[in-house]
Amino acid sequence: ENILMVCMKDLFWSWCLSFLIMTAFAFLFVEIIHPLSMDSPCERCQLATSSVMGANLFLFQTVVVGDNWGEVAIPLITKSPGTALLIVGAYVSIAFGLLNLIIAVVVGSFKDCQRAEEAGELEADETSLRKIFKEIDVQGDGKLNYEHFLEGAAKNADFKDRLGLLNIKQDDLRDLFQQMDMDGRQLVNAREFSRVLRSCSRPGKYDMVRCILRQEDLAVAIDTGFSRLTDRMDYLSAKVDEVLAKIDPQAMNREVM
């Protein structure tokens, strides 16, 4: 089901609930507040509480739209402070409770639909990967060695497209196979095959995994380079000391004077 249609449906029923709650408060306005506003000089106050439709319009205008809340509320509360309980209660219930609840319901529905779509995509991707594995498993025993893996990468069109999408080159296939072969048996089953390829399904993610796998080689190379640099510096320092030792200190002092 389309995400937009689900959200619109939830939004429609949420507004129906909002209308019912506003109508309930409108009945209370007509029954309780209208008799208290009969002798009020505020004509708008009398009009807003004289009928259920007028009270609904007042609540929609002030609470939902946020337009001129004090035009009716302040004169009524000033004349009859007890009406503040009903007026403020309606405002808090609708504005801070119901409207936020509507947003939460719509957002929750959107997330549920998104998770359902993602689950469907994962299932379809899993089916596609198992189909690729079955096609390149020439022996049909559910196990894939490195030679058949390379052969499938070279001949199977779907597998080649998947590797190209992941930016996996021919030189990277050994690393990819080693990621799949967790137990070191030089054999990969369908579950291991699909697990690794699904984990690298986002663009650039395999590059990151490949860098992590090769970080030990990089660390060794850096340590070796620093060791050679240190040895070279020690050698040059020793040579400098030898040259300085051969220079006559007294001759240096005479040249300075």
Side-chain angles (χ1 to χ4, degrees), residues 17 35 69 94 96 99 114 118 137 148 153 180 186 193 221 223:
L17 177 62
W69 182 82
I94 298 174
F96 295 102
L99 296 183
Q114 191 176 33
E118 291 176 353
D137 180 19
H148 293 159
M180 297 177 181
Q186 300 301 314
F193 179 83
D223 290 340

Side-chain angles (χ1 to χ4, degrees), residues 4-21:
L4 179 61
M5 293 302 298
V6 172
C7 292
M8 292 298 295
K9 182 176 67 174
D10 291 340
L11 192 61
F12 170 76
W13 289 113
S14 298
W15 278 113
C16 290
L17 177 62
S18 300
F19 178 74
L20 291 176
I21 293 179

Side-chain angles (χ1 to χ4, degrees), residues 17 21 30 32 74 115 140 210 217 228 251:
L17 177 62
I21 293 179
V30 173
I32 298 175
I74 291 178
R115 282 194 291 265
R210 181 173 53 191
D217 296 336
R228 291 177 179 176

Side-chain angles (χ1 to χ4, degrees), residues 35-227:
L36 301 176
S37 64
M38 292 296 293
D39 56 348
S40 173
C42 175
E43 295 182 1
R44 181 75 180 93
C45 299
Q46 298 180 22
L47 181 63
T49 59
S50 61
S51 65
V52 174
M53 181 60 69
N56 258 325
L57 181 61
F58 162 70
L59 288 172
F60 183 83
Q61 175 190 358
T62 57
V63 179
V64 179
V65 180
D67 179 33
N68 207 2
W69 182 82
E71 180 183 6
V72 173
I74 291 178
L76 289 174
I77 294 174
T78 301
K79 183 177 182 299
S80 302
T83 59
L85 295 175
L86 185 55
I87 295 175
V88 175
Y91 183 86
V92 171
S93 299
I94 298 174
F96 295 102
L98 186 60
L99 296 183
N100 287 329
L101 178 62
I102 292 174
I103 295 174
V105 169
V106 173
V107 172
S109 298
F110 176 80
K111 289 184 176 180
D112 291 340
C113 292
Q114 191 176 33
R115 282 194 291 265
E117 285 192 356
E118 291 176 353
E121 292 175 357
L122 288 175
E123 184 177 356
D125 192 47
E126 177 71 18
T127 302
S128 175
L129 290 173
R130 290 186 177 274
K131 177 177 177 291
I132 293 174
F133 181 87
K134 185 176 181 180
E135 290 175 353
I136 64 178
D137 180 19
V138 294
Q139 293 182 347
D141 58 355
K143 297 178 182 179
L144 198 66
N145 58 29
Y146 183 60
E147 288 73 18
H148 293 159
F149 181 80
L150 289 178
E151 183 180 352
K155 296 182 179 180
N156 188 276
D158 293 334
F159 194 20
K160 290 173 63 176
D161 291 341
R162 173 64 69 108
L163 295 177
L165 181 64
L166 298 176
N167 194 27
I168 299 176
K169 306 295 189 300
Q170 183 71 24
D171 297 337
D172 302 325
L173 292 178
R174 168 60 69 179
D175 291 337
L176 182 63
F177 187 82
Q178 288 177 354
Q179 291 182 57
M180 297 177 181
D181 184 24
M182 298 297 294
D183 52 11
R185 295 182 302 134
Q186 300 301 314
L187 292 173
V188 172
N189 57 34
R191 183 180 59 83
E192 295 170 335
F193 179 83
S194 61
R195 175 184 57 82
V196 172
L197 289 179
R198 278 191 291 107
S199 69
C200 301
S201 60
R202 288 179 295 198
K205 185 171 182 180
Y206 179 76
D207 294 335
M208 180 184 68
V209 174
R210 181 173 53 191
C211 290
I212 293 174
L213 290 175
R214 295 181 178 178
Q215 66 181 350
E216 293 184 359
D217 296 336
L218 179 60
V220 171
I222 292 175
D223 290 340
T224 303
F226 273 111
S227 297

